[in-house]
Amino acid sequence: MNLVNNDLQVHNNGAMQAAAQATNSQQAAEFSNALETAQQTIKIKKGDTVSELAEKYHTTTQAVAQVNRLNDPDFILAGQNLTIPGRAQISAAAQPTSMVNDAGTVASLANVDLDEGASARSSNSLEPTLNGEEKSARDYIIQHESSNNYNARNGRYIGKYQLDQNYLHGDFSPANQEKVAAQYVQQRYGSWTNAQKHWVKNHWY
């Protein structure tokens, strides 16, 4: 009887794993298709601005400027075609919710962080210490870029500070995001307050 039960259990486990893998494949395909359809090309109308279009299509001015190679995001012409990368508008049904690991165990993606165990939300303990206006300026940029989320992604822009993935050199860890963001702001703007002023004016930094 034990052998029969064991055989049934193995069979059932195999069937569950196969079903889970098939579901995952379908969900992954739906998820990929949703991402692919997120990008679109529009024709600029008189009075349009990049910042308003970015807000309308749920993306950022920086992302639109990057994909269209705009040296000046404030200068666009009516009739010009503009590629909108957008933030993928993916329904919950299209997002993969589970996966099968090497041992055949079904795990919920809700419990799997994109950054190998790092918390999806920011841990302020990792942030370099700042005071006064500098801290307020950094907090402003963080909130507007990612709502304080190390795992936020928008195309090639990664993490809490929405840094270009090339700046991070494949290391998306919270510690590296903090380090690179501090270096980027210091080298480009000299301070977080200057970076914030640029963000307020252009909706990117």
Side-chain angles (χ1 to χ4, degrees), residues 144-159:
H144 285 76
E145 287 291 333
S146 72
S147 299
N148 210 24
N149 187 349
Y150 282 120
N151 285 345
R153 298 198 177 196
N154 178 28
R156 64 188 295 171
Y157 300 102
I158 304 294

Side-chain angles (χ1 to χ4, degrees), residues 3 5 19 25 43 57 67 72 107 139 149 151 175 199:
L3 290 175
N5 289 336
S25 297
K43 182 162 288 188
Y57 290 98
V67 77
D72 183 359
D139 290 346
N149 187 349
N151 285 345
W199 202 105

Side-chain angles (χ1 to χ4, degrees), residues 176-196:
N176 194 49
Q177 289 183 39
E178 294 291 348
K179 175 184 175 182
V180 173
Q183 292 174 341
Y184 169 79
V185 167
Q186 183 60 38
Q187 291 173 5
R188 180 160 187 168
Y189 300 103
S191 68
W192 283 100
T193 51
N194 288 338
Q196 181 191 18

